[in-house]
Amino acid sequence: MRLDEMLRAIRNRIDSCQSKIRDEPDDVSGNANENDENPKIPWYFANGFLLFWGLLFFAAVLPFFNRLPTALTNEDVNKNEFIAELAYENLYTLSNIGTKLTGSKENEIIAVNFILNELNKIEENLQDDFFDMEIDLSQAAGVFPYATMLNVYQGVQNIAVKLAPKNSTSQTYLLVNSHFDSKPFTPSAGDAGFMIVTMLEVLRVIASTKQPIEHPIVFLFNGAEEGMMQASHGFATQHKWAPYCKAVINLDAAGSGGREILFQSGPNNPWLVDYYKKYAKHPFATTMAEEIFQAGIIPSDTDFRHFNLYGKIPGLDLAQCFNGYVYHTKYDLIDVIPRESLQNTGDNVLSLVRGLANATELSDKSAPVMGHAVFFDFLGLYFIHYSETTGIILNLAIAIATLILISVSIWRMAKVSNASVSHVACWFSVTLIVQVISFILGLLFPAVVAWFMDSLGQSLTYFSSPMLIIGLYVCPSLIGLSLPLVVYSSIHRNISTAYHIQLGLHSHAAILSLLVLFLTALGIRSTYVLVIPLIFYSLALAINLLTTLHDRGFAWMALLKAGQLIPFLCSSYSFYIFIVVLTPMGGRAGSAANRDVLIAVLTATGTILSFGFLLPLINIFRRPSFVIYSLLGVTVLAMILGCFTPIGFPYRSKTNGHRVAYLQVRNMFYEYDGTLSKDESGYLFSFQDRREERPLLGTNVNLTGLVSIKSKCETEMMCGMPLYDYRFTKSRLQSKWLPRSEPIVPPEIRGLELLNKTILNATNVRFEFNLTGPSHMSLFIQPYDNVKISNWSFIPSYLNMPPPYHIYLTYGIDNSPYNFFVEASSLHGDLGFPLFQMGVSAHFIGNEGDAQSVKFASSFPSYSILAQWPALYKRYVF
């Protein structure tokens, strides 16, 4: 229904309700006036009313959100507890190794030796009477599909440690996992050095104390997660201990510092969440995070996927999520991690590991309990969880009970006002339509602001100034939520103002109830965020109906406001989590989508749930329009600050950088006869956020000649470019090319070598290849018309996918040449013409490039965070 149709419907309903008045007794109006016994409050208190709730957010939600326990020091080492200072010392050493890229010396030798040395120290202090400890260093090789490509790896390393009760014969293990490798150009103190040293300290405490465990614990320190989780795939599919692992605690990071969040559980096995409630000392968890993550809104993934998918191991997935601005950058340093953060995570993980290592459910041979859990914490003080089935029953019961209470209230209003029920119901229907419009505008206005700012080229203005979110999104949402109600309140009515405000609140409750029924039917567990405010509103309404408060002017309002304290804190806390987590992700989510709209809608949803039962109360003040004018003024001010002052510039040196990913590319195209048909050099940019190259214009960076590669993508296989991974592939239409006249000279490699060509029959031919190069390479294969790739060394079933095919290759400590074959089939029986193209890209990560490339990189402003290296691309025709 369009807005003009809604307005017409409102007018028609008002006319209908007014017509009913003529049929009512003469004393209806008089009773209405008697109920209006409380004079309206002076207008200048209206903004103070909203300000109170805003201050409550800053005074209660933010302190609890950022609260951390006191860090224990080396002096507390005999307490048999997690010692943050010991973990911090290990983190200092591990992060100082620098970038730990899979295949590098830093990752495969130095980091591995550091972890092994720490494990040997733990083994020296092992309680021999209680535990057996076995350390296993292994390599893995394999292949699996992921996103838009096949992920092929060899020689990736896993360090697995089994801590078992003395002489244990248990065949059920608990797995605890994290990774020590890193993305390019980051010391990775947070992702995931933080979790590695947490695991080391947890292992030390358990192994050195006499507190028994029932089930063996496998601590997996894996050396290849950042390349789409190869090491966890290798462990889950190949390691000798993997079949015995019945639950996993996966530890990762999408930020640095703060509290770790439980954002995935299961699949199924809701008993795991029971253990989190029982043993997590500092709970921080939400089902909303699980559903948002699994919807693909967050541009990240964890090893948890492979343990579930390939190992059939359920578990708990926990991650650091604060300060995502430094995630995967050179600023992911130990300096931004407080010891208290380590203590928080360490306390939780140690207690969880001990609890799950004694869980009887691990050895339960019966079928796993099906269904998911609904879970969330309240300000980190209390953890609430229940089964999905219980959630469905609760949702339906609360929604139906709310609708019944609303019906009783309408009947009561009619009785007290000496009006007919149909008369009051008529006004309720009008109010309901107004409230629907309010709900829609509350969501729409912030989204419009986000769209407008983006159309001006001013996206991400809040990136470094999050307070702008209040003006840009919270205030427009409040305007949309209140404007229709304020306009409607000026219309003459024949029931009291107090009753009419109650009808507005009832309308909001009815909308939430209908949404609860709808979302529950869709199986969305995050519906609990709507149920919480409904529970407290229904309780207040029930008490008011059981007493005389319901009918004594505005006497019912005190109980309502008191009842909304907890829902306000819960709703604002829940949605603030996602603003904190998702705002930095806008800086690495690519340029295709307007992430501002996502932040705007999330903020608006949190605002509506936090203020939905509070904002109608502004109509008890004289001149409630003054509130709207004030909110509008704040919105305009925020837009001005965002567009015309440095406050709105998204980037800051070291803290909120502009991520710039580009490759120093040399493209060489060889034809069927072996001749070189094209040789070009330049820089291939894959911009990481919505602003693309605009923050670089006017700086020392010379981007003259920068063009889109979209036209190349229409004519060349994979745009004729050495696209690095699936992210580059997905965003290739937004990538841009800066030609360079001086050829880029990458390091010399043997590259691709055709070993043998065998004609199998009249229509099939087999090509055997040898590939040598750096630790990160890709193959692109595209058959010509009337040709198909019928078989190859990789997963044959993947050939059912549409070409071109992308094979992503990673070497760990084993950098031996990769041998593979490709079989092509001619559909018309002629093998004497080109059958397929093959592109080979070699990525020399860590190499700064030639002198001109170094000079170009040095021209970027201080707020730029570069991820760039030489890449050689050779296209062949076979």
Side-chain angles (χ1 to χ4, degrees):
M1 182 180 289
R2 299 197 310 271
L3 185 59
D4 59 338
E5 293 176 340
M6 285 188 173
L7 294 175
R8 193 179 305 115
I10 292 173
R11 186 70 261 173
N12 292 337
R13 291 302 296 168
I14 290 174
D15 292 341
S16 174
C17 293
Q18 294 286 11
S19 67
K20 291 179 182 291
I21 295 173
R22 291 189 289 269
D23 300 325
E24 297 293 337
D26 293 338
D27 62 344
V28 172
S29 179
N31 278 289
N33 291 331
E34 289 174 10
N35 281 333
D36 242 343
E37 57 192 25
N38 297 62
K40 284 198 172 185
I41 302 172
W43 62 270
Y44 43 80
F45 287 109
N47 283 335
F49 173 71
L50 285 184
L51 188 60
F52 166 80
W53 295 98
L55 292 176
L56 180 63
F57 172 80
F58 285 98
V61 173
L62 290 188
F64 280 109
F65 185 82
N66 294 300
R67 189 179 65 161
L68 293 170
T70 302
L72 298 183
T73 67
N74 292 337
E75 296 177 356
D76 304 303
V77 73
N78 293 323
K79 292 184 177 181
N80 297 329
E81 295 184 41
F82 187 96
I83 307 299
E85 188 171 3
L86 290 177
Y88 196 84
E89 291 169 357
N90 278 335
L91 182 58
Y92 179 83
T93 303
L94 182 60
S95 62
N96 278 347
I97 294 173
T99 299
K100 294 170 283 293
L101 185 72
T102 301
S104 68
K105 177 182 177 182
E106 290 79 7
N107 190 68
E108 307 304 333
I109 298 176
I110 301 176
V112 167
N113 286 340
F114 164 75
I115 295 171
L116 290 175
N117 288 337
E118 292 304 312
L119 293 175
N120 288 331
K121 293 177 186 177
I122 293 172
E123 191 172 26
E124 290 173 3
N125 295 292
L126 181 71
Q127 288 286 346
D128 294 337
D129 294 338
F130 283 78
F131 303 107
D132 293 319
M133 181 171 165
E134 182 181 353
I135 302 172
D136 179 76
L137 174 62
S138 62
Q139 297 181 28
V143 57
F144 59 91
Y146 186 84
T148 61
M149 63 190 193
L150 277 179
N151 197 326
V152 180
Y153 61 93
Q154 70 177 35
V156 300
Q157 298 193 92
N158 280 315
I159 305 171
V161 183
K162 184 173 72 170
L163 184 70
K166 193 69 176 179
N167 300 320
S168 172
T169 58
S170 173
Q171 300 294 297
T172 53
Y173 303 168
L174 170 67
L175 175 64
V176 185
N177 170 78
S178 192
H179 68 95
F180 57 86
D181 67 311
S182 74
K183 282 287 189 180
F185 313 109
T186 173
S188 61
D191 180 31
F194 182 103
M195 293 302 189
I196 289 293
V197 300
T198 296
M199 286 172 56
L200 286 170
E201 177 61 9
V202 167
L203 175 58
R204 182 198 68 80
V205 175
I206 295 177
S208 61
T209 59
K210 297 181 179 180
Q211 186 171 333
I213 57 175
E214 181 180 346
H215 307 288
I217 309 169
V218 175
F219 291 85
L220 176 61
F221 305 85
N222 87 65
E225 187 269 351
E226 296 293 1
M228 285 65 75
M229 301 89 69
Q230 297 106 324
S232 59
H233 178 269
F235 179 86
T237 58
Q238 302 165 38
H239 199 277
K240 61 183 179 181
W241 293 334
Y244 306 108
C245 295
K246 304 304 179 184
V248 60
I249 300 174
N250 188 64
L251 305 172
D252 211 329
S256 200
R259 300 186 290 160
E260 85 290 342
I261 186 171
L262 170 64
F263 67 102
Q264 289 193 99
S265 66
N268 300 310
N269 296 279
W271 64 269
L272 289 162
V273 181
D274 295 341
Y275 276 79
Y276 182 85
K277 173 182 173 59
K278 184 176 181 180
Y279 290 101
K281 295 183 177 181
H282 317 291
F284 184 36
T286 169
T287 297
M288 285 180 64
E290 180 172 87
E291 293 192 320
I292 287 177
F293 186 87
Q294 294 175 356
I297 294 174
I298 295 177
S300 295
D301 209 342
T302 75
D303 290 318
F304 193 72
R305 168 194 288 269
H306 286 345
F307 294 129
N308 290 173
L309 182 61
Y310 296 104
K312 308 301 179 186
I313 308 172
L316 303 172
D317 202 5
L318 299 94
Q320 291 282 299
C321 62
F322 291 21
N323 194 18
Y325 299 103
V326 302
Y327 173 69
H328 287 175
T329 75
K330 62 183 178 181
Y331 300 117
D332 187 6
L333 302 165
I334 192 172
D335 302 353
V336 300
I337 299 175
R339 287 172 172 82
E340 291 78 9
S341 183
L342 277 165
Q343 191 67 52
N344 187 92
T345 300
D347 286 347
N348 282 342
V349 175
L350 175 60
S351 185
L352 269 173
V353 169
R354 279 176 163 162
L356 288 172
N358 289 291
T360 56
E361 290 85 352
L362 280 185
S363 54
D364 188 352
K365 303 298 184 181
S366 60
V369 178
M370 304 304 288
H372 297 278
V374 179
F375 56 88
F376 57 95
D377 72 289
F378 177 68
L379 300 178
L381 299 174
Y382 191 73
F383 182 74
I384 300 164
H385 79 103
Y386 43 85
S387 69
E388 187 174 16
T389 301
T390 300
I392 292 172
I393 296 171
L394 179 64
N395 294 352
L396 297 179
I398 295 299
I400 294 171
T402 301
L403 294 174
I404 292 173
L405 287 170
I406 291 171
S407 301
V408 173
S409 177
I410 291 173
W411 171 81
R412 181 83 155 262
M413 289 178 188
K415 181 179 180 182
V416 173
S417 301
N418 291 325
S420 67
V421 173
S422 63
H423 171 62
V424 180
C426 186
W427 282 112
F428 172 71
S429 65
V430 175
T431 310
L432 181 62
I433 296 174
V434 172
Q435 190 64 39
V436 169
I437 295 174
S438 298
F439 212 94
I440 293 172
L441 293 183
L443 290 171
L444 183 62
F445 281 2
V448 169
V449 171
W451 171 84
F452 178 71
M453 296 290 283
D454 181 69
S455 67
L456 296 177
Q458 299 296 326
S459 55
L460 297 175
T461 52
Y462 54 86
F463 192 69
S464 293
S465 305
M467 289 293 288
L468 285 177
I469 289 177
I470 296 175
L472 293 175
Y473 306 141
V474 174
C475 288
S477 181
L478 292 174
I479 292 172
L481 198 58
S482 59
L483 180 61
L485 292 172
V486 171
V487 173
Y488 175 57
S489 68
S490 64
I491 299 174
H492 176 71
R493 301 173 305 273
N494 288 80
I495 59 174
S496 71
T497 299
Y499 276 167
H500 228 284
I501 292 175
Q502 284 200 66
L503 289 178
L505 296 169
H506 291 352
S507 299
H508 184 71
I511 293 171
L512 291 185
S513 297
L514 294 175
L515 283 173
V516 166
L517 295 174
F518 177 69
L519 296 176
T520 301
L522 293 179
I524 297 176
R525 288 171 288 136
S526 299
T527 306
Y528 76 85
V529 298
L530 307 181
V531 173
I532 292 172
L534 273 182
I535 290 174
F536 285 86
Y537 180 73
S538 298
L539 286 173
L541 178 57
I543 295 173
N544 282 327
L545 286 169
L546 290 171
T547 63
T548 60
L549 295 175
H550 180 271
D551 309 307
R552 290 169 52 191
F554 294 103
W556 52 266
M557 200 168 57
L559 189 59
L560 170 74
K561 288 190 287 188
Q564 286 302 304
L565 280 171
I566 291 179
F568 175 84
L569 294 174
C570 191
S571 296
S572 57
Y573 172 79
S574 296
F575 281 88
Y576 182 68
I577 293 171
F578 296 102
I579 303 305
V580 169
V581 173
L582 294 177
T583 294
M585 290 182 181
R588 59 183 179 89
S591 62
N594 182 2
R595 298 283 290 196
D596 287 14
V597 173
L598 172 64
I599 298 297
V601 171
L602 276 173
T603 303
T605 305
T607 301
I608 291 171
L609 291 177
S610 299
F611 286 93
F613 288 116
L614 298 170
L615 207 57
L617 301 182
I618 66 172
N619 288 300
I620 69 174
F621 300 95
R622 296 190 183 98
R623 294 172 58 190
S625 58
F626 182 73
V627 173
I628 296 177
Y629 292 137
S630 300
L631 294 170
L632 182 61
V634 175
T635 298
V636 172
L637 177 61
M639 294 176 71
I640 292 172
L641 292 174
C643 292
F644 303 111
T645 73
I647 294 175
F649 186 68
Y651 313 110
R652 306 287 187 272
S653 297
K654 296 183 180 180
T655 57
N656 307 74
H658 177 223
R659 297 171 187 252
V660 182
Y662 69 91
L663 304 176
Q664 309 163 26
V665 174
R666 178 74 174 271
N667 287 329
M668 305 176 74
F669 284 64
Y670 294 91
E671 299 304 322
Y672 185 59
D673 59 3
T675 59
L676 180 64
S677 61
K678 182 167 72 172
D679 187 350
E680 63 177 357
S681 294
Y683 303 112
L684 175 64
F685 286 87
S686 180
F687 291 104
Q688 301 297 290
D689 69 40
R690 186 70 168 174
R691 291 207 174 194
E692 297 185 317
E693 75 274 13
R694 292 193 299 275
L696 304 175
L697 302 179
T699 68
N700 294 328
V701 185
N702 184 359
L703 296 178
T704 304
L706 185 70
V707 296
S708 170
I709 68 166
K710 193 171 183 178
S711 60
K712 291 178 179 286
C713 297
E714 295 171 353
T715 58
E716 301 285 355
M717 174 184 63
M718 286 295 188
C719 309
M721 292 289 172
L723 305 175
Y724 174 54
D725 59 11
Y726 76 93
R727 293 184 179 89
F728 267 73
T729 302
K730 284 185 173 181
S731 63
R732 63 186 182 275
L733 296 181
Q734 289 77 46
S735 297
K736 297 188 178 181
W737 173 252
L738 182 63
R740 184 177 123 170
S741 57
E742 180 182 339
I744 289 174
V745 183
E748 290 288 337
I749 59 171
R750 284 179 56 191
L752 184 72
E753 181 182 358
L754 176 61
L755 300 178
N756 195 23
K757 176 180 177 181
T758 305
I759 297 178
L760 302 177
N761 52 48
T763 59
N764 291 275
V765 60
R766 179 187 182 109
F767 296 86
E768 297 178 21
F769 299 98
N770 175 281
L771 180 62
T772 304
S775 60
H776 291 72
M777 296 187 289
S778 282
L779 294 173
F780 304 111
I781 301 176
Q782 170 84 60
Y784 285 108
D785 292 341
N786 297 313
V787 177
K788 72 173 183 178
I789 305 301
S790 56
N791 197 10
W792 59 6
S793 298
F794 315 111
I795 300 175
S797 60
Y798 194 78
L799 292 170
N800 295 324
M801 300 293 289
Y805 307 110
H806 181 186
I807 298 96
Y808 180 83
L809 299 125
T810 303
Y811 297 119
I813 196 168
D814 177 8
N815 62 354
S816 58
Y818 195 86
N819 295 307
F820 65 97
F821 73 86
V822 175
E823 293 181 5
S825 176
S826 172
L827 300 183
H828 51 59
D830 186 2
L831 299 177
F833 64 97
L835 300 174
F836 62 90
Q837 301 178 70
M838 179 181 292
V840 181
S841 66
H843 295 266
F844 304 93
I845 303 174
N847 188 310
E848 62 181 9
D850 56 29
Q852 186 172 334
S853 296
V854 172
K855 182 179 179 181
F856 181 69
S858 67
S859 67
F860 283 80
S862 60
Y863 54 76
S864 293
I865 302 174
L866 304 185
Q868 53 90 26
W869 56 82
L872 174 63
Y873 179 70
K874 292 185 177 182
R875 195 287 314 262
Y876 303 93
V877 178
F878 296 98

